[in-house]
Amino acid sequence: MTAPKIQGGFSFLEGPVWVADGGYLLMSDMAAGTGPYNVQPSMIRRFTPPATFDTFVANAGSNGLALSADAQQVIAATHDQRSVSAYRLSDRTRSTVAANFQGRAFNSPNDVAVRSDGVVYFTDPNFQRGNRSDQMSGRTSVFRVSGGQVSLVDDRLRQPNGIALSPDGTALYVGAYSENKIYKYVVQAEGSTGARSVFVNYIGGPDGATIDCAGNVYWASGSDALVHVYSPAGTQLGTIRAGTSGTTNVAFGGPDRQTLYVTSGPRNDSGLYSVRLDIPGYPY
């Protein structure tokens, strides 16, 4: 299956998320690193179907995006402040969800997933850390934020990247980019995580991910430009091609949630692609 291009020519698109109350897609667009610390500027762009693009937040500092549980804010992995932030959709004001872990700065938060009760999970590789100090002692980790408290999920992963939750919130999936593995964690009722297992031995560098209402997992591939689709048991069901290189992330959207949006393409010609599927994304 192939996803046609909607528009190209962007710097580096990432983190798409659909906002149903408004009927638009938000995504980060990251430029090349600048300044003494080589930090990548980033904006949040908005796509309103069928063909309108505009700037939603000019200096967002963001990578991965997700909707808050009440759908009033976009939760953003923000590498500019090495934090997780929230942007209120109504007025675009910014607040902090997670500032640090035990007083130490994160590397460069990359992607986020939000459970229906508001618990936030995020990955912290060092891809956008630039020349800033390593306060995590070489570890790249997954964290949880619940009730304002930041807890460690796992610090054994090499470059954790995409992250997604099963529809019932009992499983957390994390792609370890530098291991070519997708891990699956048992999630307890209150949000803590239990046993970890290998969900998929992956090829191509697992980047961003999304889930459909049946629990199938859609994982964007950094090197082979494909979106790999897996059943909840980890069986590959198929692939979706978007562009020829650098597929970064995926999100379901549209009025019926049956449009899969894909961000893909080389730096400085990154594009947004979409394809209609016969199953809606979660939530729907």
Side-chain angles (χ1 to χ4, degrees):
M1 183 180 292
T2 300
K5 183 189 289 187
I6 298 171
Q7 185 167 316
F10 299 104
S11 293
F12 189 79
L13 295 179
E14 255 284 11
V17 62
W18 180 258
V19 180
D21 184 14
Y24 58 82
L25 186 81
L26 298 178
M27 55 199 155
S28 297
D29 191 3
M30 297 188 289
T34 61
Y37 294 109
N38 195 37
V39 177
Q40 292 180 247
S42 176
M43 69 174 70
I44 296 177
R45 294 188 185 272
R46 174 171 56 181
F47 166 65
T48 306
T52 302
F53 290 84
D54 64 354
T55 299
F56 194 76
V57 179
N59 297 297
S62 61
N63 190 327
L65 307 173
L67 271 189
S68 62
D70 65 4
Q72 300 304 302
Q73 301 182 93
V74 60
I75 309 300
T78 41
H79 56 265
D80 64 337
Q81 297 179 4
R82 301 168 75 173
S83 67
V84 177
S85 302
Y87 283 99
R88 186 166 294 282
L89 294 172
S90 59
D91 59 11
R92 307 177 203 186
T93 55
R94 182 177 185 171
S95 58
T96 300
V97 174
N100 57 69
F101 179 61
Q102 299 176 345
R104 292 175 287 135
F106 300 117
N107 294 304
S108 56
N110 183 280
D111 210 351
V112 289
V114 181
R115 209 167 67 156
S116 60
D117 60 357
V119 178
V120 174
Y121 302 86
F122 69 95
T123 55
D124 187 40
N126 61 28
F127 297 138
Q128 277 81 43
R129 193 176 68 208
N131 301 326
R132 295 172 291 187
S133 64
D134 173 11
Q135 297 189 23
M136 288 293 166
S137 304
R139 290 189 289 272
T140 54
S141 307
V142 183
F143 294 97
R144 176 180 80 253
V145 191
S146 180
Q149 297 297 310
V150 181
S151 305
L152 178 67
V153 171
D154 196 349
D155 63 0
R156 298 168 291 165
L157 283 71
R158 289 190 291 122
Q159 304 294 18
N161 197 329
I163 189 166
L165 283 157
S166 63
D168 63 4
T170 63
L172 179 72
Y173 302 94
V174 179
Y177 190 85
S178 293
E179 299 178 42
N180 276 326
K181 292 182 188 299
I182 299 170
Y183 290 105
K184 182 179 181 178
Y185 299 81
V186 173
V187 181
Q188 312 295 346
E190 89 292 350
S192 65
T193 46
R196 181 185 93 173
S197 58
V198 175
F199 178 63
V200 170
N201 283 302
Y202 195 86
I203 53 170
D207 203 323
T210 194
I211 306 275
D212 69 23
C213 66
N216 300 312
V217 182
Y218 298 68
W219 221 287
S221 208
S223 58
D224 66 10
L226 296 174
V227 177
H228 296 257
V229 186
Y230 300 98
S231 75
T235 302
Q236 181 152 323
L237 303 177
T239 59
I240 299 166
R241 175 167 293 282
T244 57
S245 67
T247 297
T248 59
N249 218 320
V250 283
F252 278 94
D256 56 7
R257 304 285 292 194
Q258 285 182 224
T259 298
L260 186 72
Y261 289 101
V262 186
T263 51
S264 181
R267 188 171 296 280
N268 298 321
D269 191 20
S270 185
L272 179 65
Y273 297 73
S274 73
V275 62
R276 292 280 299 166
L277 299 180
D278 59 4
I279 189 168
Y282 180 82
Y284 68 99

